[in-house]
Amino acid sequence: MNSFLHMLAITVIDPPSNIRAARRPRGTILRRWLGVFGGLLLACAGTVRAEDGYDLWLRYRPLPAAQASLYRSHAAQLVMATATPIELATRDELQRGLGGLLGQSPALADAVSGDGAIVVGTPSSSPAIARLRLDTAGLGREGYLIRSAVIAGHPVTVVAANDDVGALYGTFHLLRLVQTGQLLDKLDLRDAPRLKLRVLDHWDNLDRHVERGYAGASLWDWQKLPGWLDPRYTDYARANASIGINGTVLNNVNANAAILTPAYLDKVKALAGVFRPYGIRVYLSVKFSAPIEIGGLKTADPLDPQVQRWWRAKADEIYALIPDFGGFLVKANSEGQPGPQDYGRTHADGANMLADALAPHGGVVMWRAFVYSQHNNDDRAKQAYTEFKPLDGKFRANVLLQVKNGPIDFQPREPFNPLFGAMPGTPLMMEFQVTKEYLGFATHLAYLGPLFEEVLKADTQARGKGSTVAKVIDGQLDGHVLTGMAGVANIGTDRDWTGSDFNQANWYAYGRLAWNPEASSRDIAEDWVRMTFSNDPAFVKPVVDMMMGSREAVVDYMTPLGLHHLMGHGHHYGPAPWDASGPRADWTPVYYHRADRNGIGFDRSSSGSDAVAQYAPPVAAEFNDPARAPEALLLWFHHLPWNYRLHSGQTLWDALVAHYTRGVEEVAQMRNTWARLDGYVDADRYRKAASFLAIQQDEAQWWRDASIAYFQSLNGLPLPAGYRPPAHPLSYYESLTFPFVPGYP
Ligand code: BDP
């Protein structure tokens, strides 16, 4: 396609804000004319790249002319070394990014020879940076400075770091400043990650099925690896590096031992090679019984010398192929997975055995605390703490305990996991779920930033007030150096990577919060909206507002007031609060809501399961008292009569109905917001989001109606005045079956 057509087409797809302003209100003549003209142009152009979401937040579409020329004066030259693979990746990204945004890439030069150079590097890679004598102490390997400076009498923008990877991160930050329309004058930014390991966990099977994946198949084309390196692997790495993610666990925690066979390790090595220039290390989920399954041993007992030798040899073999291999992630003795307890050993015995094998190479073990047993009748919410708290201080220095944010399982809302703050002698790593297994799969618009932020800000009070979860995991509270966060990825082969354009925001927010767990989810959403869609304030503000309220809407229409785990069995699609079927009680909704004629909720107070006692005393006291417990968690901790009065004076039943209804109304509101924004984004992405919001509204109504119909069948109470009855009788909702739900193992 000729470039003139290309530029015109882009202008129509993403017109500058003054044109957009002229296009409002909807349906003006100019707008219709632009639509027709744009359509014709697109038809003529034929090969115009549609906005299909592939480019994520790294779209680099041309900025409005005036803005671009302002930035061009800051980007006349690019002065940097291009010796290492990371430096080459950095240069490519700068040229691609600025070339796209400004219509012209800065020319690569050896030294600053005019105004407006961008100078990138480290004191050792760049003589110009060395001469500036910048204070890079405390930035570590990955931190950076972005400074406006003067070199040889010329104003320049400097991205300086101690290591090439820090300069890569700084470069992405600089690009973000341009993408989001911020001035490049008088820059004085300093940033470094607060967590060491910032990892995505892929629950990807070797047959490319993604457990709890709603965005197509696994990205990893194992069959064609290592021969064929899909260019998508590089784009995946670029996206991750742009938000500071520095690790990827390639395979499912429900692991297949075959990943450790030589044939697969060769494939893993090939992926590691693609990711390395972006500062990303690979990790693998390992199956504890691997020594038996692929090693021919009779046991996987961690105290057996043969087993220990087998793992040591396996680690040696991996590091010979992949010298910067990250380490192992392990799900053991949980949901049917093998583990050290099969041999009467503890989780610490298992983790330490693997840690000893990895230690000579600098690798780590991320041992999951998501452990509960069907043979244990105690409240499932208590089991991880019961299991792991006594093991505090018993793990090797290269073991992190990976703890899900809440004590059950990635529900729309949970209290923070009581393990945070309870194990001062062990580095605890956060595990969030980015894929929306419990928040509406691909289609529901649920921005998870506020969920992540709520957990990170929660005050464990473990070492007095201000002992937030963020301070537990960043090591401040108990002086740990090994720190980390894991996010269960929402990424697959769909063109838009994540099953919907708005789900990209969850990947983005996860990365940004892993870099800085005290960042604001609203600020992150704003950056994302600007980079992904538009810088127009008339678009940015309503969309950010919509995103910020979206998670609470899901809580309301699925599981308000602390209810949890009410979804369909196994596949987890849709409501099934009536479900009491096997194979285990703690997988059924009735186990969690405990509703009957008289009341509803799980009594975890001191008169019930006493799960509250796992929290620090001041927190426990608050959670233990229904009058003091946060209302949003009321039924998590208490079983209360339907006519229990909330602070508002409303009865519990009336409030429940109101929350369910509010959730649906909120989605209707989101649809209205989006409907008003037609024209601010390209037609394809606009339409997809609009259709998905319509699906969400239907499914929100379904959740509300099915839940109300069921609870009403137990309590026999009338709906509060003015609330519509469910559209169908309970039997209808109970009769729905879904044999082909995606992501189901
Ligand atoms: C649950 C998922 C299941 C995972 C498990 C885990 O339903 O597919 O295997 O978590 O985290 O939420 O291990």
Side-chain angles (χ1 to χ4, degrees):
M1 177 191 43
N2 86 37
S3 57
F4 171 70
L5 270 184
H6 182 80
M7 277 186 61
L8 271 180
I10 283 171
T11 310
V12 173
I13 290 168
D14 194 9
S17 52
N18 55 343
I19 295 187
R20 273 193 289 256
R23 289 168 64 189
R24 276 169 274 135
R26 302 182 73 192
T28 61
I29 292 172
L30 175 62
R31 174 199 172 81
R32 261 179 262 142
W33 182 84
L34 272 173
V36 172
F37 179 63
L40 277 176
L41 206 60
L42 287 171
C44 302
T47 53
V48 167
R49 194 163 48 141
E51 289 256 5
D52 58 8
Y54 183 86
D55 293 332
L56 297 162
W57 49 90
L58 301 174
R59 286 165 61 247
Y60 304 139
R61 294 294 189 273
L63 293 172
Q67 222 177 331
S69 86
L70 199 68
Y71 285 122
R72 271 201 294 271
S73 66
H74 288 273
Q77 269 188 311
L78 174 58
V79 180
M80 65 177 293
T82 51
T84 70
I86 291 184
E87 287 166 350
L88 288 169
T90 306
R91 179 206 60 193
D92 288 354
E93 196 66 31
L94 264 170
Q95 296 203 317
R96 175 205 303 250
L98 295 175
L101 289 158
L102 314 181
Q104 169 188 314
S105 298
L108 202 61
D110 290 336
V112 176
S113 64
D115 285 2
I118 295 176
V119 183
V120 181
T122 67
S124 44
S125 75
S126 163
I129 288 178
R131 277 195 293 274
L132 287 172
R133 299 188 173 284
L134 299 167
D135 175 18
T136 56
L139 290 176
R141 267 188 68 240
E142 299 183 308
Y144 55 83
L145 301 172
I146 307 181
R147 282 277 181 84
S148 302
V150 174
I151 294 179
H154 301 293
V156 298
T157 306
V158 176
V159 178
N162 292 315
D163 193 278
D164 54 4
V165 75
L168 173 70
Y169 291 139
T171 294
F172 274 112
H173 191 153
L174 179 66
L175 284 167
R176 181 165 92 223
L177 296 177
V178 179
Q179 285 174 283
T180 56
Q182 298 181 53
L183 291 176
L184 298 190
D185 303 293
K186 304 199 190 93
L187 288 176
D188 187 8
L189 296 170
R190 185 185 177 88
D191 204 3
R194 293 257 304 273
L195 301 181
K196 201 165 168 201
L197 311 180
R198 306 176 299 277
V199 179
L200 278 179
D201 289 0
H202 288 266
W203 286 359
D204 294 17
N205 294 337
L206 301 184
D207 63 2
R208 301 192 76 180
H209 172 81
V210 182
E211 183 160 337
R212 312 309 179 181
Y214 312 102
S218 168
L219 281 185
W220 325 131
D221 193 346
W222 294 110
Q223 184 67 22
K224 300 194 190 83
L225 280 163
W228 162 242
L229 298 174
D230 190 331
R232 223 173 155 157
Y233 303 151
T234 307
D235 288 333
Y236 164 85
R238 289 176 49 234
N240 280 327
S242 77
I243 48 178
I245 287 172
N246 66 0
T248 176
V249 184
L250 298 174
N251 61 321
N252 194 352
V253 285
N254 297 319
N256 189 317
I259 194 73
L260 293 175
T261 57
Y264 275 94
L265 291 178
D266 264 345
K267 300 168 192 279
V268 173
K269 174 188 172 174
L271 287 173
V274 178
F275 301 155
R276 191 169 294 118
Y278 295 90
I280 297 167
R281 291 176 176 218
V282 297
Y283 298 74
L284 293 175
S285 293
V286 298
K287 191 163 189 179
F288 205 76
S289 54
I292 302 173
E293 290 182 40
I294 60 165
L297 301 188
K298 297 236 159 358
T299 176
D301 181 349
L303 299 193
D304 184 304
Q306 266 190 302
V307 172
Q308 296 170 351
R309 260 200 306 280
W310 188 87
W311 281 108
R312 273 203 305 274
K314 188 50 77 181
D316 295 347
E317 180 189 345
I318 295 173
Y319 280 91
L321 292 167
I322 310 165
D324 57 354
F325 179 72
F328 295 149
L329 171 64
V330 192
K331 172 174 178 177
N333 293 120
S334 173
E335 299 186 330
Q337 292 299 318
Q341 293 181 332
D342 302 349
Y343 307 95
R345 314 300 184 194
T346 69
H347 283 278
D349 293 331
N352 291 343
M353 183 266 298
L354 294 174
D356 289 343
L358 294 166
H361 308 284
V364 301
V365 172
M366 300 177 289
W367 191 270
R368 296 179 86 222
F370 179 67
V371 161
Y372 64 102
S373 162
Q374 71 209 88
H375 308 298
N376 184 344
N377 286 332
D378 202 5
D379 175 2
R380 174 174 156 188
K382 291 172 64 183
Q383 294 184 32
Y385 178 103
T386 308
E387 189 79 49
F388 284 96
K389 164 94 178 141
L391 299 177
D392 188 26
K394 301 215 160 81
F395 293 94
R396 297 282 191 270
N398 59 334
V399 176
L400 296 113
L401 197 61
Q402 184 167 308
V403 180
K404 285 190 181 181
N405 60 272
I408 295 286
D409 199 356
F410 299 139
Q411 295 301 293
R413 170 168 283 120
E414 301 195 22
F416 68 87
N417 196 313
L419 279 169
F420 292 113
M423 295 184 65
T426 310
L428 298 194
M429 179 173 181
M430 173 63 75
E431 181 176 325
F432 282 129
Q433 193 177 48
V434 186
T435 186
K436 302 203 313 297
E437 175 181 358
Y438 301 102
L439 288 100
F441 292 7
T443 49
H444 295 209
L445 197 165
Y447 172 54
L448 301 179
L451 187 164
F452 302 156
E453 186 175 352
E454 176 178 298
V455 176
L456 292 165
K457 283 203 169 134
D459 194 350
T460 69
Q461 301 208 38
R463 259 34 100 234
K465 271 196 185 308
S467 309
T468 61
V469 171
K471 291 197 164 66
V472 174
I473 64 164
D474 77 5
Q476 272 185 64
L477 203 64
D478 302 307
H480 293 294
V481 185
L482 188 55
T483 56
M485 192 187 285
V488 179
N490 61 351
I491 300 161
T493 51
D494 278 8
R495 267 308 280 178
D496 66 16
W497 301 84
T498 55
S500 100
D501 294 300
F502 275 96
N503 288 338
Q504 298 173 358
N506 294 330
W507 176 7
Y508 183 82
Y510 164 70
R512 293 282 303 272
L513 285 163
W515 179 277
N516 176 8
E518 290 185 340
S520 136
S521 64
R522 172 175 278 276
D523 292 351
I524 294 171
E526 180 169 337
D527 280 347
W528 178 81
V529 169
R530 287 174 177 278
M531 291 191 278
T532 305
F533 289 118
S534 163
N535 271 312
D536 191 326
F539 178 85
V540 175
K541 167 91 169 63
V543 174
V544 171
D545 285 347
M546 170 174 87
M547 288 169 70
M548 290 305 291
S550 60
R551 177 270 189 145
E552 200 61 41
V554 177
V555 171
D556 273 334
Y557 63 72
M558 288 188 182
T559 48
L561 294 172
L563 290 174
H564 49 287
H565 211 291
L566 304 186
M567 66 287 160
H569 178 79
H571 54 62
H572 298 171
Y573 175 61
W578 48 81
D579 181 25
S581 62
R584 20 193 309 189
D586 57 7
W587 283 355
T588 64
V590 296
Y591 173 91
Y592 294 98
H593 66 64
R594 307 196 167 207
D596 60 16
R597 198 184 148 64
N598 303 313
I600 182 169
F602 198 127
D603 185 0
R604 296 192 166 106
S605 74
S606 48
S607 51
S609 81
D610 204 21
V612 292
Q614 296 183 336
Y615 291 93
V619 179
E622 194 185 310
F623 288 166
N624 195 40
D625 178 355
R628 289 180 62 209
E631 217 156 82
L633 292 170
L634 196 59
L635 302 176
W636 185 284
F637 289 114
H638 298 281
H639 185 88
L640 297 167
W642 292 107
N643 62 2
Y644 176 83
R645 294 267 165 205
L646 301 185
H647 294 302
S648 64
Q650 252 180 331
T651 67
L652 178 57
W653 170 238
D654 287 1
L656 209 55
V657 174
H659 274 282
Y660 275 121
T661 309
R662 199 200 76 92
V664 185
E665 284 166 355
E666 186 72 13
V667 180
Q669 212 34 60
M670 286 157 62
R671 277 185 85 182
N672 287 338
T673 301
W674 193 248
R676 282 199 308 275
L677 298 171
D678 187 3
Y680 286 87
V681 298
D682 53 284
D684 286 356
R685 289 189 303 164
Y686 174 78
R687 264 200 307 271
K688 189 158 78 169
S691 304
F692 281 12
L693 281 165
I695 295 173
Q696 182 175 8
Q697 194 178 350
D698 284 348
E699 295 190 351
Q701 190 73 48
W702 167 35
W703 266 95
R704 175 215 184 255
D705 286 355
S707 306
I708 290 178
Y710 170 68
F711 291 129
Q712 201 175 25
S713 79
L714 300 178
N715 64 22
L717 292 169
L719 292 185
Y723 286 89
R724 282 232 304 271
H728 303 279
L730 175 61
S731 56
Y732 165 81
Y733 300 108
E734 287 179 336
S735 74
L736 301 175
T737 56
F738 305 96
F740 305 112
V741 175
Y744 187 31

